[in-house]
């Protein structure tokens, strides 16, 4: 059953702690950049950006005065070089800033920068946002616990994120899903189950259809679909467990219907186990790095006391692990959630080893 109004209030931005800042520097996530989020707010005019159907995209294209434009353009080209290349000025002469768009919808209010290579007209995007510790934790956890690597930079109060390519979930559900074959719909149902499980395990919230993308990949004679999160604002903040389960957002109703119509209960359980096992393997493979990150998060405050109290009890009801009742921060809940998945995987693996030895004997 889908719920509405799961997101209670607008989430505040949380500062990056000294320990998290040190972590970011150690793992090359921190880099000095020549432009800040606040600099881009100095635009002098704007126009609404419409999509191909003449509908408002909730983005506006901003313009700067002549005195600011040259400086901002050069700074954005340098940011692109730092994010995607070696940070040198050698490629700047071949780059052009085609557009600077600003989104007034949502928490992060990002700027989207379109950079084009003038030699071949290839272009890409990156985003400039205000730094938020929740978002940083979300990006790092996505990098380590999902199948996808992420490239981002943090400097003081500014966060630079690479663009994640794909078809926005809401557009895919409306325009592409009806045209999918029955086999493709079954595959999408499987991917949604795995995506749903992965979000819940690592406490990534608010995965409404416009906060993730569908990535189609052609493989021999068919298309393989994957689901990727693109918004990490609601990492470990809300108190309701269902916020971390995409299946409970009304915007995902069509995807939930796919699961109901295409997958048997046994298959759903199987895919959940598969995803937990994969996440557990990633936790083990990242070892010290993920242990360091969650240890920093344990002592950090990225939510309010009421949310922590509500979430720890709801997860206790699900797992019956008494340790959740003792949690005082979202970081402690996250640590236990990841440990719970890892322990279950290790226990099952050890059980299989023992059983195999008995069979051999």
């Amino acid at each position: 059953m889908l719920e509405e109004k799961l997101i209670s209030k607008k989430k505040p931005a949380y500062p990056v702690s000294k320990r998290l800042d040190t972590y970011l520097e150690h793992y090359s996530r921190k880099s000095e950049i020549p432009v800040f989020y606040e600099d881009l707010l100095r635009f002098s005019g704007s126009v609404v950006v419409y999509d191909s159907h003449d509908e408002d995209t909730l983005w506006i294209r901003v313009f700067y005065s002549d005195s600011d434009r040259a400086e901002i353009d050069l700074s954005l080209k340098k940011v692109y070089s730092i994010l995607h290349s070696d940070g040198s000025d050698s490629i700047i002469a071949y780059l052009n800033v085609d557009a600077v768009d600003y989104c007034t919808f949502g928490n992060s209010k990002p700027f989207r920068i379109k950079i084009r290579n003038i030699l071949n007209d290839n272009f890409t995007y990156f985003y400039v946002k205000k730094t938020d510790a929740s978002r940083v934790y979300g990006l790092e956890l996505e990098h380590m616990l999902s199948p996808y690597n992420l490239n981002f930079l943090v400097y003081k109060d500014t966060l630079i994120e690479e663009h994640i390519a794909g078809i926005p979930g809401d557009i895919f559900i409306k325009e592409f899903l009806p045209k999918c074959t029955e086999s493709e719909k079954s595959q999408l149902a499987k991917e949604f189950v795995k995506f749903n499980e992965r979000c819940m395990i690592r406490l990534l919230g608010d995965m409404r259809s416009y906060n993730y993308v569908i990535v189609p990949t052609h493989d021999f004679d068919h298309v393989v679909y994957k689901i990727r999160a693109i918004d990490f604002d609601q990492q470990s903040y809300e108190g309701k467990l269902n916020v971390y389960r995409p299946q409970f957002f009304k915007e995902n109703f069509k995807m939930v219907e796919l699961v109901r119509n295409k997958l048997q209960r046994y298959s759903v359980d199987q895919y959940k186990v598969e995803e937990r096992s994969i996440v557990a393997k990633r936790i083990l493979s990242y070892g010290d790095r993920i242990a360091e990150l969650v240890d920093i998060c344990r002592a950090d405050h990225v939510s309010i006391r009421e949310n922590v109290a509500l979430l720890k009890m709801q997860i206790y009801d699900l797992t019956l692990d008494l340790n959740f009742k003792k949690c005082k921060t979202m970081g402690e809940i996250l640590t236990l959630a990841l440990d719970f998945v890892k322990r279950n995987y290790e226990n099952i693996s050890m059980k299989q080893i023992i059983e195999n030895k008995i069979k051999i004997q």
Side-chain angles (χ1 to χ4, degrees):
M1 181 178 177
L2 299 173
E3 295 182 12
E4 297 186 19
K5 298 181 180 178
L6 288 176
I7 307 297
S8 52
K9 297 178 181 178
K10 185 175 179 180
K11 186 187 79 67
Y14 290 93
V16 170
S17 66
K18 289 184 178 180
R19 288 185 66 195
L20 181 56
D21 186 69
T22 301
Y23 168 94
L24 293 170
E25 186 169 16
H26 178 73
Y27 290 103
S28 301
R29 296 298 200 185
K30 182 180 176 181
S31 180
E32 187 172 349
I33 55 176
V35 67
F36 294 99
Y37 178 88
E38 298 296 329
D39 296 329
L40 298 183
L41 289 173
R42 302 200 313 259
F43 54 86
S44 56
S46 65
V47 295
V48 175
V49 178
Y50 295 95
D51 63 16
S52 57
H53 302 294
D54 290 328
E55 294 182 0
D56 189 347
T57 62
L58 303 178
W59 290 84
I60 58 174
R61 186 147 297 164
V62 301
F63 305 99
Y64 298 90
S65 65
D66 292 341
S67 58
D68 285 335
R69 182 74 203 199
E71 178 187 352
I72 287 175
D73 274 15
L74 179 59
S75 296
L76 291 174
K77 292 175 188 177
K78 288 181 177 179
V79 169
Y80 173 88
S81 178
I82 295 169
L83 185 66
H84 290 290
S85 187
D86 59 0
S88 68
D89 293 343
S90 59
I91 65 171
I92 287 178
Y94 310 111
L95 301 177
N96 187 70
V97 179
D98 275 9
V100 178
D101 297 333
Y102 178 59
C103 183
T104 57
F105 176 74
N107 284 325
S108 58
K109 293 191 166 106
F111 285 93
R112 180 178 62 195
I113 316 301
K114 182 180 180 181
I115 298 283
R116 177 172 56 89
N117 186 309
I118 62 176
L119 298 179
N120 51 38
D121 278 342
N122 285 329
F123 64 88
T124 189
Y125 300 92
F126 66 84
Y127 298 85
V128 181
K129 302 179 180 181
K130 293 187 74 172
T131 301
D132 175 17
S134 297
R135 197 171 299 126
V136 172
Y137 286 122
L139 287 164
E140 270 292 277
L141 288 168
E142 179 74 5
H143 177 76
M144 290 187 276
L145 299 182
S146 82
Y148 316 104
N149 293 330
L150 282 180
N151 188 15
F152 68 93
L153 298 171
V154 178
Y155 186 62
K156 295 184 178 178
D157 65 346
T158 299
L159 171 66
I160 309 295
E161 288 182 28
E162 70 174 350
H163 176 66
I164 298 174
I167 304 169
D170 54 339
I171 294 175
F172 183 91
I173 290 169
K174 180 180 178 181
E175 299 182 10
F176 293 87
L177 183 58
K179 302 174 186 176
C180 287
T181 66
E182 295 307 308
S183 176
E184 289 171 343
K185 288 178 180 178
S186 294
Q187 186 203 135
L188 281 162
K190 169 187 172 181
E191 290 302 316
F192 187 77
V193 169
K194 291 195 165 194
F195 178 66
N196 190 80
E197 193 70 11
R198 188 163 65 245
C199 291
M200 184 179 68
I201 290 170
R202 44 76 56 98
L203 298 186
L204 177 61
D206 194 16
M207 282 298 107
R208 285 174 277 190
S209 55
Y210 48 77
N211 286 333
Y212 61 81
V213 293
I214 310 293
V215 184
T217 304
H218 289 270
D219 183 28
F220 293 107
D221 59 348
H222 68 290
V223 179
V224 177
Y225 294 97
K226 298 293 183 182
I227 303 178
R228 291 192 64 176
I230 59 172
D231 190 304
F232 305 93
D233 295 345
Q234 288 283 348
Q235 173 64 50
S236 307
Y237 174 75
E238 289 286 344
K240 298 175 183 176
L241 180 60
N242 285 347
V243 172
Y244 306 104
R245 304 166 77 182
Q247 71 185 80
F248 285 100
F249 287 100
K250 59 184 175 65
E251 291 84 354
N252 294 326
F253 177 71
K254 291 292 185 183
M255 300 300 283
V256 175
E257 271 194 327
L258 275 189
V259 175
R260 287 175 179 164
N261 295 334
K262 293 296 181 181
L263 302 180
Q264 295 179 359
R265 182 71 244 180
Y266 174 80
S267 296
V268 172
D269 292 340
Q270 173 195 339
Y271 296 141
K272 286 182 178 181
V273 171
E274 286 181 9
E275 192 60 31
R276 288 178 208 145
S277 299
I278 291 171
V279 170
K281 290 175 183 177
R282 293 189 186 115
I283 294 171
L284 293 169
S285 67
Y286 271 97
D288 292 343
R289 179 169 177 173
I290 196 164
E292 184 179 354
L293 180 70
V294 295
D295 186 57
I296 293 168
C297 190
R298 281 172 61 87
D300 211 343
H301 292 278
V302 290
S303 186
I304 57 177
R305 188 178 301 172
E306 292 80 4
N307 286 353
V308 175
L310 177 61
L311 184 61
K312 70 181 183 182
M313 293 307 299
Q314 290 193 358
I315 296 183
Y316 164 73
D317 291 339
L318 182 68
T319 63
L320 300 180
D321 186 337
L322 288 170
N323 290 313
F324 281 105
K325 287 187 172 183
K326 304 173 186 176
C327 292
K328 296 180 180 179
T329 67
M330 280 293 183
E332 291 181 356
I333 296 175
L334 174 65
T335 303
L336 282 177
L338 297 181
D339 283 345
F340 186 85
V341 171
K342 185 176 70 171
R343 287 198 315 271
N344 282 353
Y345 169 75
E346 289 174 332
N347 290 340
I348 292 171
S349 299
M350 183 58 65
K351 181 181 178 182
Q352 289 172 342
I353 291 171
I354 293 171
E355 286 178 350
N356 286 336
K357 283 183 178 180
I358 291 172
K359 288 177 184 177
I360 292 171
Q361 291 172 351

